[in-house]
Amino acid sequence: MELDLRLVRYFVAVAEELHFGRAAAQLYVSQPALSKQIRRLEEQLGEALLVRDSRHVTLTARGQQFLADSRRLLALSESMTRRAPQRGVSIAHVFELSTSRMVADAFARTEPDIPLREHSMDSITQLNALQQGRLDVAILRVTPRMLLAHPSGWRHRLLRLEPLVLVGAPGDPDEAAAPHASFDARPLHVFADPPDSGTYSAHGQYVTALEARLGLAMRWLGTPGAFSFCVAHVQRGPRDVRYLEFLSYAEKYAEVGMQTSWPLEVQPYYPWSLAWRADDVNPSTTTLIEVALALAEHSWLATDLEPARAPAWMPDDDPAWREHASGRA
């Protein structure tokens, strides 16, 4: 039997996500097509690799062993086919959020003669691209699931704790005098893909944890992408709601006349980390890492910002808590 590497890649995506919808979105294929290809692989092997029901996907004992073998096989395949490294360094952005943009700008100022290749990817896609050698440096949220699925081969450092704030709809006079606001004072909307969307991301996992902490349900609006799409949605949306936003975007909302407020109950911080391959010896990668960590020294890791006055919050199992408390960051 000749093993099809494409089917192996499909299996690894499903095995790491344990969700056909999310794996299909990651692979840019339809969910029915992905399910068909996994069944084809199982038929070729003569054994079941996954157990499926209406709500869960789990690995069989054979599936667990096949996953370990598949990772080694794909790593060997990528090593054998990897092209000579291009001059320069590649980095990715999560939409128009400011952390990676500031890193890229600082690197370009420091090393104007080194080519900087820039891409747009969410956190999970960035880690996959990093592992596959398609990306040199990732700026992402590191999750417990990522560390479990990829226990070696990469390194990461906490880079920034970005506050999340509340944004009021435009044209609401009651918002003008509200430097602080309660999460549950008004309906709360968030630009995020929900768990059953097939594109549930590291950001979505964070929002789910925050909902549990606050004991409320937000309205999930999906992820429209660029800030211009977000602000258009807010401008044509209802007047009596607030939006949970990154400070990066909240500052842009303020520029177009919308009021921003700091939360009263807890102050959520979104942990952005810098990640790179453990075996990367490219001097340009090293320089970019040094530039990024220098930025982190200038208040990016503070959790006592003014005028924020609520206790800092991140998900209880977030690796950033441990890293920040240890002072490693």
Side-chain angles (χ1 to χ4, degrees), residues 69-147:
D69 293 340
S70 295
R71 285 172 172 158
R72 287 193 291 269
L73 177 62
L74 293 177
L76 178 60
S77 173
E78 289 159 7
S79 175
M80 294 174 66
T81 58
R82 188 174 295 168
R83 296 174 296 174
Q86 293 178 275
R87 181 173 177 267
V89 63
S90 58
I91 190 174
H93 305 289
V94 179
F95 302 120
E96 297 175 58
L97 297 170
S98 66
T99 305
S100 58
R101 168 56 50 209
M102 295 171 72
V103 169
D105 289 346
F107 178 80
R109 289 192 300 269
T110 303
E111 300 290 347
D113 297 327
I114 298 179
L116 180 64
R117 299 181 297 277
E118 302 177 67
H119 311 272
S120 177
M121 304 177 186
D122 66 24
S123 289
I124 295 172
T125 305
Q126 283 194 52
L127 181 56
N128 291 330
L130 187 72
Q131 296 277 341
Q132 296 163 11
R134 296 185 288 112
L135 196 65
D136 297 315
V137 172
I139 295 179
L140 72 173
R141 178 189 169 219
V142 175
T143 69
R145 183 179 297 177
M146 289 177 181
L147 297 177

Side-chain angles (χ1 to χ4, degrees), residues 29 77 82 84 92 115 129-130 205 214 217 222 233 239 247 260 274 280 288 309-310:
V29 299
S77 173
R82 188 174 295 168
L130 187 72
Q205 294 166 19
L214 297 173
H233 181 101
R239 306 292 90 183
L247 183 63
T260 62
L274 192 72
D280 191 339
L288 196 152
R309 62 189 187 193

Side-chain angles (χ1 to χ4, degrees), residues 161-173:
L161 296 174
E162 181 172 6
L164 298 184
V165 298
L166 303 174
V167 176
D172 185 346

